[in-house]
Structures are given as structure tokens and as C-alpha cells.
């Protein structure tokens, strides 16, 4: 599907990655609706891109439904909004747990459910779900985040099959460690030893490729990290043992969890 001339709803537009996506989609001729929780950031961004701004908190079901209603008939959904959700599960309150599940998994599923029928009726459209390589390989202090991203990956591939032959595509874009913008970059932590990073522009390019080529899954990470997560996905017990023995990611994990605690 061509982005030029398409109507696009982008969630999580106020984050660093979201802003990069918004600018690139606008540059490619998309007619944008941007959504995020912070009107003070969202509205100036939308104005600069001649886009529409619809503030919404995706942890609130009525906000998700209102967003879908106000954006009925869009050609493309890019579900980018997410919470970090790092840290030990036993440190989470029930409310914090619910919020992570709502924003990271329930909201994109519900938006897809509410917006897809009009796409199917029109015989064209595309849904992009922004996942993470944490949806392929589990690691310490990310059990809740893993749960949402594993779930999103399963949904994306299953829903893609449900819509096969309708003219509507479903893609999953899964970044690794992203520098300069996004959840990981915002922590100020260093990637684990030996783990290379990618740029926001590479993630955005992955989104564009997913839409224009109707790709089922795009993994945006260096080859070695893609290989390691593929192995870990197939052999999780072995991968966990290796992680424990190496201890190479312990410091990075502690720094990330500390920096993201206030965002629950």
C-alpha cells in the first residue's frame, strides 16, 4: 500500500520514536492523525506537520474507543504507543500491571478490531503494530513487558491470517535497542556489552517497508541480535542459563529499571 495520500493514525506520537515516524510519514505525503497523552507536545507537533491531533490515554478504554470513532475510515493504523514495563513483577501494583497490559496489548488489539472493518469493506488498508525483540526472547526484569510483546506478536500473525485476501495487511515491526530516541534511549543506560544499537530512522524505515511491501514481520536490529533472539525464542531455557552465567546484562538492566520506574 502506498503511504502518499493515505490517511494514517499514529499512536504514541509524542515519544521520540513517534515523532520521527510522524515526520517521515508526513514527508511521504500521508494525511496524518497523531495521538498521544501529552497535548502540550502533541498539538505543536501536529501543527508543524499540518496534521490532526487527538489526545488520548490508551490506558482508558473509553479513550481508545473515542480515538477509534474519531479516526473511523483511516487507511493505515500505526500502533506505536507503549509503556516500558520493566522491573520485577512483584514490584508492580495491580493498577500498574493493568495499565501496562492496557496500553501495550489491549489498546492496539482494540484499535485494530475497531478500525479494520472499514478497511475490509474498502478492500484496502494496513495495520502496523510496533513490537519489540522482547516479544521473541525473554529476559530478567522484563516479564511484564515480555508478556505484552509476546502477546502482540501472536496477535499480529494470527490477525494477518484472518485478514488474508481482504486487501488489508497486518505487519509487526520489532526493534532491538534504539539509540537517540525511544524507551531505551530515554533511560540513558548503555546497551549490554556486545549489543549494537539501531537508529530511530531505521525503525521508521522498517515501518515504511512494512506498509509498502505488506511484510508480516520486520526485525530492526543488527544481524547478531536478530540471530540471538531467534535462538532464544527456540531454546528459552538454554538462553536463560547463558544469561545467568554471563551476567553481562545485569548492570544495563538495573540502570534501565531504575530510569523507567516512574513511567509505570
Amino acid at each position: 500500500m502506498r503511504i502518499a495520500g493515505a490517511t494514517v493514525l499514529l499512536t504514541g506520537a509524542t515519544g521520540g520514536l513517534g515523532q520521527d515516524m510522524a515526520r517521515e510519514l508526513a514527508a511521504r505525503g500521508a494525511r496524518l492523525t497523531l495521538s498521544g497523552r501529552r497535548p502540550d507536545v502533541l498539538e505543536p507537533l501536529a501543527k508543524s506537520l499540518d496534521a490532526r491531533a487527538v489526545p488520548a490515554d490508551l490506558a482508558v478504554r473509553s479513550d481508545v474507543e473515542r480515538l477509534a470513532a474519531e479516526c473511523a475510515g483511516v487507511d493505515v493504523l500505526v500502533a506505536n504507543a507503549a509503556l516500558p514495563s520493566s522491573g520485577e513483577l512483584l514490584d508492580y501494583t495491580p493498577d500498574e500491571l493493568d495499565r501496562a497490559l492496557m496500553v501495550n496489548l489491549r489498546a492496539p488489539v482494540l484499535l485494530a478490531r475497531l478500525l479494520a472493518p472499514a478497511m475490509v469493506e474498502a478492500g484496502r488498508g494496513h495495520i502496523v503494530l510496533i513490537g519489540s525483540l522482547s516479544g521473541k526472547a525473554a529476559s530478567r526484569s522484563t516479564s511484564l513487558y515480555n508478556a505484552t510483546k509476546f502477546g502482540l506478536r501472536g496477535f499480529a500473525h494470527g490477525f494477518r491470517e484472518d485478514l488474508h485476501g481482504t486487501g488489508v495487511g497486518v505487519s509487526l515491526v520489532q526493534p532491538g535497542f534504539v539509540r537517540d530516541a525511544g524507551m531505551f534511549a530515554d533511560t540513558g543506560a548503555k546497551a549490554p556489552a556486545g549489543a549494537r544499537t539501531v537508529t530511530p530512522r531505521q525503525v521508521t524505515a522498517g515501518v515504511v517497508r512494512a506498509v509498502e511491501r505488506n511484510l508480516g514481520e520486520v526485525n530492526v536490529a543488527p544481524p547478531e541480535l536478530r540471530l540471538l533472539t531467534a535462538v532464544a525464542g527456540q531454546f528459552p531455557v538454554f538462553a536463560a542459563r547463558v544469561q545467568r552465567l554471563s551476567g553481562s546484562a545485569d548492570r544495563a538492566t538495573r540502570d534501565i529499571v531504575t530510569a523507567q520506574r516512574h513511567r509505570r
Side-chain angles (χ1 to χ4, degrees):
M1 178 167 182
R2 293 184 60 82
I3 290 173
T7 55
V8 179
L9 167 60
L10 171 66
T11 69
T14 54
L17 272 179
Q19 292 186 39
D20 192 85
M21 291 177 195
R23 293 188 179 100
E24 180 63 18
L25 291 169
R28 288 176 173 269
R31 291 175 289 159
L32 283 175
T33 295
L34 306 179
S35 184
R37 288 189 300 118
R38 296 177 291 165
D40 59 316
V41 178
L42 183 68
E43 290 169 3
L45 176 65
K47 185 176 181 180
S48 71
L49 299 176
D50 194 24
R52 180 186 178 202
V54 182
D57 183 349
L58 299 189
V60 180
R61 176 172 175 169
S62 59
D63 269 24
V64 179
E65 293 172 344
R66 174 179 55 80
L67 177 62
E70 292 192 28
C71 298
V74 294
D75 300 313
V76 178
L77 164 65
V78 181
N80 169 64
L83 293 176
S85 312
S86 63
E88 303 291 332
L89 184 67
L90 300 186
D91 290 340
Y92 274 75
T93 67
D95 285 345
E96 289 171 342
L97 190 153
D98 284 346
R99 183 170 178 81
L101 293 173
M102 286 287 289
V103 174
N104 290 13
L105 184 56
R106 191 183 189 284
V109 170
L110 182 55
L111 283 173
R113 165 63 185 87
L114 295 174
L115 294 174
M119 297 181 189
V120 171
E121 185 176 355
R124 64 189 296 271
H126 207 94
I127 294 168
V128 181
L129 304 166
I130 307 300
S132 166
L133 288 186
S134 290
K136 298 184 74 172
S139 56
R140 184 175 180 176
S141 294
T142 59
S143 60
L144 183 55
Y145 191 66
N146 287 143
T148 61
K149 295 303 182 180
F150 269 73
L152 197 64
R153 183 169 187 254
F155 170 73
H157 288 299
F159 195 44
R160 179 178 173 87
E161 287 306 300
D162 290 347
L163 297 182
H164 180 72
T166 66
V168 181
V170 179
S171 300
L172 178 69
V173 176
Q174 299 187 125
F177 294 103
V178 183
R179 64 181 179 270
D180 302 328
M183 290 181 187
F184 170 71
D186 289 346
T187 68
K190 293 183 179 180
R196 292 189 294 155
T197 59
V198 294
T199 66
R201 185 50 51 92
Q202 287 174 286
V203 180
T204 296
V207 171
V208 171
R209 285 202 316 276
V211 174
E212 294 192 335
R213 301 182 190 178
N214 190 22
L215 302 177
E217 182 169 309
V218 178
N219 297 309
V220 186
E224 65 274 14
L225 187 55
R226 297 201 303 270
L227 175 62
L228 287 171
T229 53
V231 171
Q234 289 296 314
F235 306 101
V237 176
F238 169 75
R241 187 178 298 120
V242 171
Q243 287 183 48
R244 286 195 297 269
L245 289 174
S246 69
S248 61
D250 286 353
R251 171 179 245 176
T253 298
R254 287 195 299 270
D255 291 345
I256 291 168
V257 171
T258 299
Q260 292 179 338
R261 187 178 300 274
H262 73 285
R263 296 186 62 188
R264 296 178 181 177

